[in-house]
C-alpha cells in the first residue's frame, strides 16, 4: 500500500499529513512554537506529543513519526515525501524530485523568500536524515503561476531590476489555486483545458488568481506574498510612496516590514484581531472598526475580482476557498454585492447553507456561477509527490 508523507514547515511550526495511495488522508499532525520552551505537537487534533524544550523541526518530525508508528498509522517507510516549498523562482514550473541540483536551486531562491525557503530546506534535510532512501519531492507555491504572461508578471519599473535580481510578480498559493482549477472543472463536468475561473483563496493569507483554460494568467500576490488583497495581518496593496513617507517619520525598513506584514490588514484596521470569525462577532455587537475591517476586506476583494476579468476572455465560475472563503457567508455576500454591474449575484439562502463540497451559491439571475470549494493543499502535494514517485 502506497503512502505519502506531506511536510509543510513554517518558521516555528511543522504540519505533517499522511495520505494513502488513493489520496485519502490517514493522519495529520501539527507542531507549534518550535525553538521555544513551549514547543508542542498534536496528532490528529488531540493526542499530544511531548517535545523537548527548544525542539527543532527535526526533533518534532522524529517524535511525530514515532507517534504515527506507535499508532500503526505508518507501519513501513512512506513511498514518497512531499514538501511544500514556498518559492521556486523562475527555475520551477512544476513539482520536482529533490536531488542535489534541485536542493541547490531551492537554496538559490531563498534570496526571494528569506522567511520561507530556509525553513522549507530544514524540513527537507530533517526528512532526508530520517528516511534516507525515500524519494523527496518539492511542490512549489509559485510553480502554477509560471504561465503568467509578461504583461502580468512584469512591474513598470526599470527592466534591469528584473534582469539582475529577478524582481517580478511570482504569485503564491499556487497549489491551492491549481486544485481549485481541477476541482472546478470536475464539478462543472468539463476538462481542465476548457475551464476558466477566478479563484479567491481567503485564509490568513489571501490571494486571487485568474485561470484561463486551466492556466494561471494573473494573480494578486507579487514578488512577495504581501501584495494584493487585505489579509489577516498583511496590508496587501499600499502606495509605494508610503515607504518614503514613513522613512521621513524615522521608521527603518525593518519597522516598515513589521508594520505591513504583522500589524496591518484585518488586525490593523480593527485594532482587535486578525480572525474573521471573531471580527464578525464583534461587528454584530456594534464594534465599528471590526465592521470597517470586513468592509474594506470585501471591497478590495471585489475590486480585484473585477480586475481579474481583464485577463480572461471567458469565465465559467467565481470560486471561493480558504477558511474565510469557505465559511464566511457574510464576506461572500458583501463582496459580490459590489459586482452587480458585472452581473454577479449571490442567492442568500444558497449562500447561507453549509457543508457540501463544491456548492453553488449564485442566484438564478447571476451571469456567472459562484461556487464554494474547500481547498486541500496537502492533498495536492501528496498527489503530485505520488505521481513523481510512480514515474
Ligand atoms: P491559513 O491561511 O492559516 O491556512 P485558514 O484557511 O484556516 O488559514 O483561514 C483562517 C481564517 O478563516 C480566519 O480568519 C478564520 O477566522 C476564518 N474562519 C474560519 N471559520 C470561519 C467562520 N465560520 N466564519 C468566518 N470566518 C471563519
Amino acid at each position: 500500500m502506497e503512502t505519502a508523507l506531506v511536510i509543510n514547515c513554517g518558521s516555528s511550526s511543522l504540519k505533517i499529513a499522511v495520505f494513502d495511495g488513493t489520496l485519502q488522508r490517514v493522519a495529520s499532525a501539527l507542531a507549534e512554537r518550535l525553538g521555544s520552551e513551549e514547543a508542542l505537537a498534536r496528532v490528529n487534533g488531540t493526542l499530544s506529543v511531548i517535545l523537548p524544550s527548544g525542539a527543532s523541526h527535526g526533533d518534532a518530525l522524529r517524535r511525530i513519526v514515532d507517534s504515527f508508528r506507535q499508532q500503526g498509522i505508518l507501519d513501513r517507510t512512506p513511498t514518497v515525501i512531499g514538501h511544500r516549498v514556498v518559492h521556486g523562482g523562475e527555475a520551477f514550473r512544476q513539482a520536482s524530485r529533490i536531488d542535489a541540483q534541485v536542493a541547490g536551486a531551492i537554496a538559490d531562491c531563498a534570496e526571494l523568500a528569506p522567511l520561507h525557503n530556509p525553513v522549507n530546506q530544514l524540513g527537507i534535510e530533517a526528512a532526508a536524515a530520517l528516511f534516507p532512501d525515500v524519494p523527496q519531492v518539492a511542490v512549489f507555491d509559485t510553480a502554477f503561476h509560471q504561465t503568467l504572461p509578461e504583461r502580468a508578471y512584469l512591474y513598470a519599473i526599470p527592466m534591469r531590476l528584473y534582469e539582475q535580481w529577478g524582481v517580478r510578480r511570482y504569485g503564491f498559493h499556487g497549489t491551492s489555486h491549481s486544485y481549485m482549477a481541477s476541482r472546478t472543472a470536475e464539478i462543472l463536468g468539463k476538462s481542465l483545458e476548457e475551464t476558466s475561473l477566478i479563484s479567491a483563496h481567503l485564509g490568513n493569507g489571501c490571494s486571487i488568481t485568474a485561470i484561463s483554460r486551466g492556466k494561471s494568467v494573473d494573480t494578486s500576490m507579487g514578488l512577495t506574498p504581501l501584495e494584493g488583497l487585505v489579509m489577516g495581518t498583511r496590508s496587501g496593496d499600499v502606495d509605494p510612496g508610503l515607504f518614503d513617507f514613513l522613512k521621513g517619520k524615522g521608521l527603518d525598513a525593518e519597522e516598515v516590514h513589521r508594520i505591513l506584514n504583522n500589524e496591518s490588514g484585518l488586525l490593523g484596521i480593527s485594532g482587535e484581531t486578525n480572525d474573521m470569525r471573531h471580527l464578525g462577532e464583534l461587528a454584530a455587537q456594534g464594534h465599528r472598526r471590526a465592521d470597517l475591517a470586513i468592509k474594506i476586506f470585501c471591497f478590495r476583494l471585489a475590486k480585484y475580482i473585477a480586475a481579474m476579468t481583464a485577463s480572461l476572455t471567458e469565465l465559467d465560475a467565481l470560486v471561493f476557498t480558504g477558511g474565510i472563503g469557505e465559511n464566511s457567508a457574510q464576506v461572500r455576500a458583501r463582496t459580490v454585492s459590489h459586482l452587480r454591474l458585472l452581473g454577479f449575484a449571490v442567492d442568500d439562502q444558497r449562500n447561507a447553507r453549509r457543508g457540501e463540497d463544491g456548492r453553488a451559491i449564485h442566484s438564478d439571475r447571476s451571469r456567472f456561477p459562484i461556487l464554494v470549494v474547500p481547498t486541500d493543499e496537502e492533498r495536492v502535494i501528496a498527489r503530485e509527490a505520488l505521481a513523481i514517485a510512480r514515474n
Side-chain angles (χ1 to χ4, degrees):
M1 183 66 182
E2 291 178 313
T3 45
L5 191 68
V6 173
I7 298 183
N8 180 356
C9 273
S11 54
S12 64
S13 70
L14 172 68
K15 284 190 201 163
I16 300 183
V18 182
F19 289 84
D20 68 17
T22 64
L23 295 178
Q24 294 304 308
R25 186 185 289 258
V26 182
S28 308
L30 169 67
E32 290 177 292
R33 300 186 210 131
L34 294 173
S36 83
E37 286 171 12
E38 295 151 16
L40 95 165
R42 282 203 182 81
V43 174
N44 289 334
T46 49
L47 182 72
S48 287
V49 177
I50 311 295
L51 295 179
S53 171
S56 65
H57 289 80
D59 297 331
L61 177 65
R62 270 190 302 279
R63 298 283 172 116
I64 290 169
V65 166
D66 280 348
S67 162
F68 282 162
R69 286 201 167 118
Q70 281 159 16
Q71 294 179 70
I73 292 167
L74 203 62
D75 48 3
R76 285 174 290 127
T77 53
T79 315
V80 66
I81 302 174
H83 293 269
R84 175 185 180 215
V85 178
V86 168
H87 222 304
E90 289 185 325
F92 297 101
R93 300 181 80 85
Q94 58 205 18
S96 302
R97 187 167 174 158
I98 302 170
D99 55 18
Q101 197 189 352
V102 168
I106 294 172
D108 290 344
C109 293
E111 194 181 55
L112 292 164
L115 302 179
H116 295 103
N117 275 34
V119 279
N120 299 153
Q121 286 169 274
L122 285 181
I124 294 169
E125 284 158 16
L130 199 56
F131 297 109
D133 300 324
V134 175
Q136 302 205 52
V137 171
V139 181
F140 300 92
D141 275 19
T142 49
F144 182 58
H145 302 300
Q146 279 297 301
T147 48
L148 254 58
E150 279 178 327
R151 67 168 194 229
Y153 75 68
L154 287 174
Y155 293 115
I157 54 177
M159 263 321 231
R160 66 173 186 277
L161 299 184
Y162 168 60
E163 289 161 358
Q164 287 176 4
W165 295 324
V167 177
R168 53 160 284 179
R169 175 183 311 287
Y170 289 97
F172 299 87
H173 287 147
T175 323
S176 176
H177 292 299
S178 133
Y179 177 74
M180 285 305 114
S182 45
R183 185 72 189 110
T184 301
E186 220 170 74
I187 292 165
L188 299 177
K190 301 176 86 167
S191 72
L192 179 61
E193 293 71 29
E194 53 179 14
T195 304
S196 297
L197 62 148
I198 295 174
S199 163
H201 177 110
L202 312 174
N204 275 312
C206 300
S207 71
I208 183 162
T209 296
I211 298 165
S212 176
R213 303 185 175 208
K215 290 197 164 68
S216 173
V217 288
D218 199 5
T219 190
S220 58
M221 284 178 167
L223 173 69
T224 74
L226 182 57
E227 190 179 346
L229 302 174
V230 175
M231 312 184 208
T233 61
R234 281 175 252 169
S235 61
D237 295 346
V238 291
D239 180 348
L242 179 64
F243 289 86
D244 252 358
F245 180 85
L246 293 178
K247 195 170 160 215
K249 296 285 176 197
L251 271 60
D252 64 19
E254 217 169 285
E255 287 166 304
V256 175
H257 175 95
R258 196 188 61 241
I259 291 173
L260 296 180
N261 279 282
N262 306 333
E263 299 172 7
S264 294
L266 296 172
L267 173 66
I269 302 164
S270 70
E272 293 281 351
T273 175
N274 62 342
D275 185 291
M276 183 59 86
R277 189 170 11 190
H278 189 193
L279 281 176
E281 290 158 7
L282 290 172
Q285 293 159 18
H287 192 298
R288 202 191 82 80
R289 277 172 53 187
D291 188 54
L292 188 60
I294 302 173
K295 252 190 205 144
I296 296 173
F297 181 95
C298 295
F299 181 58
R300 173 89 58 88
L301 174 58
K303 286 213 292 193
Y304 258 97
I305 293 169
M308 286 297 160
T309 63
S311 287
L312 298 172
T313 50
E314 58 205 349
L315 179 64
D316 296 300
L318 165 64
V319 185
F320 286 97
T321 194
I324 300 172
E326 290 163 34
N327 296 300
S328 177
Q330 185 191 26
V331 165
R332 296 190 300 256
R334 275 200 189 187
T335 302
V336 173
S337 73
H338 293 294
L339 297 166
R340 255 174 303 208
L341 201 57
L342 288 178
F344 290 93
V346 152
D347 176 278
D348 288 338
Q349 274 184 345
R350 289 176 193 156
N351 187 33
R353 247 180 256 150
R354 301 189 63 85
E356 224 184 307
D357 173 4
R359 63 192 186 278
I361 60 161
H362 55 282
S363 76
D364 296 338
R365 67 185 164 82
S366 183
R367 187 166 162 215
F368 305 102
I370 307 174
L371 307 176
V372 177
V373 177
T375 190
D376 193 342
E377 289 165 283
E378 283 152 359
R379 193 154 166 236
V380 181
I381 294 174
R383 185 182 69 191
E384 305 220 348
L386 280 167
I388 287 180
R390 283 171 191 150
N391 271 324

